[in-house]
Every structure is written in C-alpha cells, then in structure tokens.
Amino acid sequence: MASSSSQDAFQDSAAFSLKDLENLRNLRSRSVSISSSGSSARVLLRQRVAQLMARIEDISSDDEIHEEVSHTLDEAFLIWGKKLKNKWKELRLHLVTWNVGTASPPPDVTSLLELNSLSPATDMYVIGLQEVNSRITNFLSDLAFDDPWSIFFMTVLSPLGYIKLSSVRMQGLLLLIFVKHIHLPFIREVHTHYMRTGLYGYWGNKGGVTVRMSLYGHTVCFMNCHLPAHMENTEQRLDDFEKILEMQFEGENIPSTLDHDVLFWFGDLNFRIADYGIHFVRESINNKRYSLLWEKDQLNMAKKSEAFLQEFIEGPLQFKPTYKFDLYSDVYDTRERKSLFWFNEKKRKPAWTDRILWRVKNLCQNASKEGKFSGEEQTISVTLNNYISHMSYGISDHKPVTGTFGLELKPLVSDPLVTLNPEGEWSAERDVLISYSAVPELPSSAWDWIGLFKVSFRHVNDYVTYAWVEDDEISSNKDSKQVYMSAAEIPDTGGEFLLCYYSNNLQSIVGVSQPFQIRPSRTLTEKDPTQEESSRMQKSDNRESHNEAEF
C-alpha cells in the first residue's frame, strides 16, 4: 500500500510539474502581461514559483523531467538576467587615500589614478588626503584660493572630462570628488561636513571630512578620516570614529551617516599590528606572508568585537603595510631620530595604517532572508575590483592606497530635471538662444542660471559666461522656454562647449547639454579683447554678492 501511494503521489507531482513546465516555457509572453497588470500579477508569479519549488523536491535526478525542468529554468533565469541588466547601471569608482605628509603634489599620478588602464573608464574619482600642508600661511592662502592639491588634480582630470563635483577641507584633511559630465544631472543633494576630534574636539588635526549625495536616487556617503596615532591608542581611535559617525548634515530629510545606502570609510586610520615585534613583522613582509599579520591587525581585531564595525567590509590586505617608509624609498623606517629626552628613538613598526572600507545598508539583514521571498529588492551593490598600494610614490612616509569599485544600481532617477540645447549655429557675431524645458517638480528659483562652459571645465564656477533663466528669458510656453546670451559674451576663438543649468535651490547642476561647436569669429580684431572679461567679471560679482546675501 505504501508503495502504491508513493507512486500515485509521484505521478501527481510529475503531472503538476509538467503543467508548470508549460507555464515556464511561456515566461517571455507572460512577463509582458505581468508588467502591465502590476503587483497582483507579480504576487501570483511568486506563488506559482513557490509551488513549483515544492514539487521539485519530489523529482529524482534520474527522471526524464528533471533535465527538461532544469533547462527551462535556465532559460527563465537568462531572460530575467537580460531584463535586469537592461534596467541596472554600473558605475566605476576609484578611491584614493594618501597621507601626503605636508608634501607638494608629485610630478605624475598616472598610475595612482590608473589613467592608462585598459579597464572601462572611471565614472567617479574620490580622493582623500591627510596632512595636506596646513601651516597658517598656507591655510589662509588656501581659504582664498584653491589649494595646490585641488588645482593639481583638476589640471590632470578636467581635460579627460571630469569636473570637481565637491570638496571639503578641515586643516590637513582634504576630500575631493570628480565625476564625468554625463552623471551631473543625476547627482543631487550634495552636502559636506566635518568633525574635529583633536584636542578633545577643539582642534582639526584629527577627525573626519565627509561628502554625501544622492546618486541616481541612491544615498551615498564618503568619509575621509585621520585618527589618533600610536600603538596604544586603539580605544581612542574607535571612540573618535564613533563620534564622527554621529555627525549630522544640515538640511531637511538628509539621512544620518549610517542610514545612507552606501558608506565608504577611508583614510589614515592609524591602526597598528599588535603583539608581534618589529623583526618578526619585517621578516613576514619580506617573505610576503601577510596572512600571519592579519590576525594581529588592530582594525581586524576590533571588527570582531565592536558591533558598529561589523557591517564594514574590506578587501584582502595583499600588499605590504603602507607605513612607515623612508622618503623616496621603499625601505621601511631606518632613520635615527632625536626625541625629547634621548637619542635614537625606536624605529616604527610597519603597519597597514591606510585603509578603504565600505558598508551597504541592510546588506546583513537581506542576507539573512536568503531563500525567502521578500518584498524588498536590493537595488544597489558594491563590488571591489582592485585594492592595492602604490610603492613608487615616495613624497611622504606613507604609500597611497587605492580601491577600484563597481557600483551596480537600479536607477531611481532616470530623467534629468532640465533638458537644454543651443538654438541654431553659434558664433560671437550675434546674440544666441538657448532652449530648455524643466519637469514640474524642479524647485525653480529666480537665481537659477544657465552657464556656458568649455568641455574641459574644472568646476561649477569655471564658466565662460551665463544667463539668468528669468531675467534673460525671451519666450515661454508650456513645453519650453528660451533665454538669450549676448554676442559680446561669446568667445571669439570658438571651440567645443556645453551648457549647464544650475539650480540655486538644489545647489547643483541639474541639466547638461550635448557638446556643441561655437564658430570662430571672422572679425576678431574688431572686438575689444577686454570686453568679454569685463562682462564676465561683472556677472561673477553679481552672483557672488547674491550668495553672500543668502548666507
């Protein structure tokens, strides 16, 4: 009897599976109806798949139906994968952390930024520096003008189509973010912050600087830290980092640091290798037996015991400890130094002080739901492609560290707030027109403006000229508006340019035109060469006085 009932049960399950198999073969056509019928059809599909999974357990791998079901499921996943890939976007991020020890920029950073790499082009550069020269004369100069490091990286990256999206500095800590033009309309709500932790919070030689943003609708935060030095200060490092994590950005509806979808934490974190003596550490490094040192790395040990660190991820430390080196050398600390009370102070033990970690919000919670159908979809993921040090740079006693990441995300924002383009052929011989259209949700302002930029512009204020969207408007209808620019402000020499719409309320560029050509003037000698610069200076003064009035 038992045998007979088992056979009947198998026949019932096989029959049901064959029926489901026919349904799976029609998955492509059904997916059309699912997308049109909404969430109820999606729930029905989940139920059918769950029923199929329950019956699959009754099918032996020797059964003829097993291979057919497997083949059909493979086809279904292939269809699903192609559809998913079309909806997702992959961005390439390159992060740099470097304690530059008050030095000036090196002659070349091609390898540091992987500018000759055969990999896909980088979409965003995030550069975190520590110990930028902050002597009082340098710091006051840098407050009035861009600091030498910012100018250096802008000079390198702007000809390649990157602009400085944001920067923040606190004494020797500097964080720079560069992006490709194409992403500008989809990066919004950019805010910066800093927190001092040196001298009980009154001095900024230690602490953190942060830039956060909405990237295609996902919240992303970058945090560059310089934590207390010396072997015995592990607890102080952890306490300071907890304080930095508590910083709050100014503005409405901005999440706390840990509530961002992705958080990158990097810098000179100053964690050391505990217990082992200097000779054992150096011998392990010479023999490339880095794994012997990992378990005594203070950060690795803290991640096992401190709850707030356990969701942070780091790639394998497959490179030599990055501190402390003789200048312009790949030799660890050999110099004899004078201390306050004695000579020949003990040499520093090598350590992985310079690190890059990241955290994806709810990654652990979602992982715990594996195997269950959940209404929550993971819409962003981070993949580490490369995590290395760069031994050829010797301007400081630290070696720079870089991490290259793939950021896969499902865009929650796919259309720019403003679409704009130049009208007709442009030259400096006549006034020109710009057409633009904005979505209804754009929080427009009388202080919004459209800038004319060279394609290699460095930052948002590096415009050639601009037009106020209200004061310079000449026509308007429900679909689009037009503004004009005076011929006197158009460059005589011509060249390749683009237009950007700047939103005053959002404090960011929300629309970028395609690059276009301005025809060189045929009457270069007839125009006063100082007229352009005078007009631009006057407009710049107007914008700066408006900004001062606001703040």
Side-chain angles (χ1 to χ4, degrees), residues 315-331:
L317 297 167
Q318 300 284 12
F319 48 86
K320 296 171 67 172
T322 53
Y323 175 83
K324 173 180 176 128
F325 288 90
D326 291 343
L327 295 183
Y328 301 100
S329 168
D330 59 0
V331 175

Side-chain angles (χ1 to χ4, degrees), residues 208-226:
V209 291
T210 307
V211 175
R212 62 87 52 197
M213 66 189 70
S214 170
L215 178 64
Y216 287 91
H218 298 272
T219 55
V220 182
C221 186
F222 300 97
M223 180 179 291
N224 174 27
C225 295
H226 193 183

